[in-house]
């Protein structure tokens, strides 16, 4: 028989369609097997391994959030700046709080320190980010697992910080079942420890607000009185600046964006150089060093006073702090776009620790 005849033949046609069906089935079966063996190549962890992973994740999170780390002030270790990480450093994120009163500013605190509960240090977090593999994977987790850490601020004005292993990487076959995630809501200090004065009296006292601090404008007959009238409120504070501090710190007045359209006026003066010059606040960041410098050329310290005049119906939008930022950090804050009011408040963040087996 010739080929032509076979195709024409009734049975022949049947045979060739059966053949086609078989080929399709075969391809399908090969596909299923290939898929199955792919799955078998991924390491499936046992129940015991998973529960030990859970233990590591929970204990590591507890340690990081409740301990300031070892040795004390590990975050100031000089080596960390150059990526040299001592084996002895076990990082912790907890804050040893300094109980600083409003208006007092200490570089180092001499007063009693206590660990703040559920509050983490932004400075320590950044130090961990810059040396993650050594500090976390090696020193804390003994290279037994892969891990990542992140904070997601609830305030959308503040950027999340992520570090460590990239579990989202699709080219990497880490099975989701081999990962444990711990999520805790905690407070993060960000740059709040640089605040010299938090002008939050309106917020604290509400309708009961009374100007509490001595204001030289009320006692000096040559100066305009700063007593509150029906339409606006005065907030007046005194603070001392040392010449040495001015060499080490940049002083800024930092306001929330909302302050710009409130019609708030301010006066900055030294007690020897009083001023009636009310200026409207229309900038979020005001550099104070040039002004402070004028009085500290010949004296070791000076008392300044700052006065705000806020329309009564806009006191809720008056959000302003006086900050002193170490000079060697100022450029970093500016380039990271962190010289913003929100970064000088303690903020709620979601702390996420992920731990997995590869
Ligand atoms: Zn005043």
């Amino acid at each position: 028989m010739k080929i032509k005849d076979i195709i024409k033949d009734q049975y022949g046609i049947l045979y060739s369609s059966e053949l086609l069906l078989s080929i399709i089935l075969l391809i399908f079966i090969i596909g299923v097997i290939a898929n199955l063996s792919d799955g078998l190549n991924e390491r499936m962890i046992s129940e015991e391994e998973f529960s030990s992973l859970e233990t590591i994740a929970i204990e590591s999170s507890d340690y990081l959030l409740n301990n300031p780390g070892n040795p004390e002030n590990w975050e100031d270790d000089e080596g960390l700046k150059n990526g040299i990480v001592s084996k002895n450093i076990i990082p912790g994120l907890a804050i040893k709080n300094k109980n600083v009163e409003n208006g007092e500013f200490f570089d180092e605190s001499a007063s009693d320190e206590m660990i703040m509960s559920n509050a983490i240090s932004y400075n320590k977090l950044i130090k961990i980010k810059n040396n993650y593999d050594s500090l976390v994977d090696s020193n804390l987790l003994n290279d037994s697992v892969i891990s990542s850490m992140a904070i997601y601020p609830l305030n959308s004005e503040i950027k999340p910080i992520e570090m460590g292993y990239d579990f989202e990487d699709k080219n990497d076959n880490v099975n989701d079942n081999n990962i444990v995630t711990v999520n805790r809501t905690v407070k993060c200090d960000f740059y709040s420890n640089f605040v010299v004065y938090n002008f939050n009296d309106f917020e604290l006292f509400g309708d009961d607000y009374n100007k509490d601090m001595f204001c030289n404008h009320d006692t000096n007959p040559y100066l305009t009185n700063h007593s509150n009238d029906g339409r606006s409120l005065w907030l007046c504070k005194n603070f001392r600046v040392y010449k040495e501090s001015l060499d080490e710190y940049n002083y800024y007045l930092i306001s929330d964006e909302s302050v710009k359209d409130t019609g708030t006026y301010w006066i900055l003066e030294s007690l020897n150089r009083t001023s009636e010059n009310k200026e409207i606040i229309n900038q979020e960041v005001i550099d104070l060093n040039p002004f402070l410098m004028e009085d500290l050329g010949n004296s070791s310290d000076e008392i300044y006073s700052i006065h705000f005049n806020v329309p009564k119906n806009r006191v809720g939008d008056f959000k302003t702090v006086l900050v002193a930022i170490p000079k060697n950090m100022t450029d970093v804050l500016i380039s990271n776009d962190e010289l913003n009011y929100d970064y000088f408040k303690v903020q709620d963040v979601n702390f996420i620790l992920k731990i997995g087996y590869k």
Side-chain angles (χ1 to χ4, degrees):
M1 266 202 290
K2 289 178 181 170
I3 293 170
K4 220 168 148 191
D5 297 331
I6 296 173
I7 293 169
K8 271 186 187 162
D9 181 283
Q10 210 191 340
Y11 298 102
I13 290 169
L14 182 67
Y15 285 139
S16 60
S17 61
E18 271 183 348
L19 188 67
L20 197 65
L21 192 69
S22 314
I23 291 169
I24 292 171
L25 260 173
L26 194 67
I27 291 171
F28 179 73
I29 290 165
I30 290 169
V32 168
I33 291 170
N35 252 331
L36 261 176
S37 61
D38 248 16
L40 289 175
N41 280 341
E42 263 180 32
R43 205 165 99 81
M44 296 298 288
I45 60 172
S46 66
E47 224 169 277
E48 293 84 62
E49 281 181 301
F50 187 77
S51 91
S52 93
L53 204 57
E54 276 186 320
T55 309
I56 296 170
I58 291 167
E59 285 181 356
S60 306
S61 301
D62 285 344
Y63 182 85
L64 284 162
L65 298 177
N66 297 322
N67 287 281
N70 259 309
E72 204 169 339
N73 303 325
W74 63 268
E75 69 277 14
D76 297 330
D77 188 287
E78 281 298 311
L80 293 179
K81 288 177 193 157
N82 311 308
I84 302 162
V85 181
S86 158
K87 272 272 159 208
N88 299 326
I89 299 178
I90 305 297
L93 289 168
I95 298 170
K96 268 198 160 181
N97 199 20
K98 300 178 176 75
N99 277 337
V100 175
E101 291 283 317
N102 213 357
E104 293 177 43
F105 180 72
F106 297 113
D107 189 15
E108 311 250 351
S109 165
S111 56
D112 287 347
E113 295 188 346
M114 52 180 287
I115 294 168
M116 279 173 79
S117 61
N118 284 321
I120 60 171
S121 154
Y122 188 60
N123 179 30
K124 290 178 180 178
L125 190 76
I126 297 299
K127 294 285 163 54
I128 289 180
K129 181 174 191 262
N130 295 340
N131 299 280
Y132 191 85
D133 294 353
S134 311
L135 285 174
V136 177
D137 286 339
S138 301
N139 292 7
L140 184 66
L141 300 170
N142 294 317
D143 290 315
S144 56
V145 289
I146 49 175
S147 74
S148 74
M149 202 189 289
I151 57 160
Y152 297 98
L154 306 193
N155 179 341
S156 61
E157 296 296 315
I158 297 184
K159 295 185 290 277
I161 305 279
E162 295 167 334
M163 60 194 88
Y165 191 82
D166 184 6
F167 286 99
E168 305 300 316
D169 187 353
K170 293 282 175 269
N171 299 319
D172 222 336
N173 287 323
V174 181
N175 190 314
D176 278 352
N177 299 320
N178 300 0
I179 303 171
V180 174
T181 303
V182 175
N183 183 348
R184 304 263 174 85
T185 303
V186 294
K187 298 209 178 289
C188 180
D189 66 351
F190 290 96
Y191 297 123
S192 60
N193 55 331
F194 295 155
V195 172
V196 180
Y197 237 120
N198 194 352
F199 302 103
N200 58 353
D201 301 39
F202 297 139
E203 194 184 320
L204 289 177
F205 299 104
D207 289 340
D208 298 329
Y209 170 73
N210 267 310
K211 202 166 67 152
D212 63 339
M213 202 180 254
F214 160 79
C215 171
N216 53 311
H217 285 247
D218 296 340
T219 48
N220 186 333
Y222 301 104
L223 293 171
T224 310
N225 198 284
H226 283 179
S227 50
N228 296 326
D229 56 37
R231 283 176 294 120
S232 66
L233 298 176
W234 281 97
L235 177 58
C236 310
K237 299 285 177 186
N238 305 320
F239 60 98
R240 187 189 295 270
V241 177
Y242 292 88
K243 191 177 164 65
E244 289 166 20
S245 309
L246 211 56
D247 295 335
E248 283 178 54
Y249 297 95
N250 287 318
Y251 287 77
Y252 292 101
L253 191 69
I254 297 189
S255 304
D256 185 71
E257 202 184 359
S258 64
V259 86
K260 286 196 285 188
D261 61 2
T262 57
T264 295
Y265 290 87
W266 74 302
I267 298 171
L268 176 61
E269 59 183 13
S270 68
L271 293 189
N272 303 320
R273 192 159 59 104
T274 55
S275 169
E276 294 278 31
N277 187 21
K278 266 201 328 185
E279 281 187 69
I280 197 150
I281 298 184
N282 52 13
Q283 281 171 275
E284 285 160 67
V285 177
I286 299 172
D287 180 8
L288 302 180
N289 277 42
F291 183 91
L292 302 177
M293 189 59 99
E294 279 186 50
D295 298 286
L296 287 170
N298 297 316
S299 69
S300 64
D301 67 284
E302 196 64 53
I303 292 174
Y304 295 88
S305 63
I306 193 163
H307 313 257
F308 300 98
N309 186 233
V310 189
K312 210 170 179 176
N313 58 348
R314 299 302 301 272
V315 290
D317 294 316
F318 177 74
K319 294 172 184 166
T320 298
V321 286
L322 175 67
V323 304
I325 302 169
K327 288 202 166 168
N328 58 6
M329 284 186 71
T330 309
D331 289 344
V332 177
L333 264 76
I334 291 171
S335 64
N336 289 343
D337 203 17
E338 295 176 337
L339 204 57
N340 285 317
Y341 178 78
D342 293 290
Y343 277 91
F344 295 91
K345 306 294 278 186
V346 174
Q347 301 276 356
D348 289 328
V349 300
N350 285 324
F351 171 86
I352 312 274
L353 182 71
K354 278 191 186 185
I355 290 202
Y357 287 127
K358 203 168 174 180

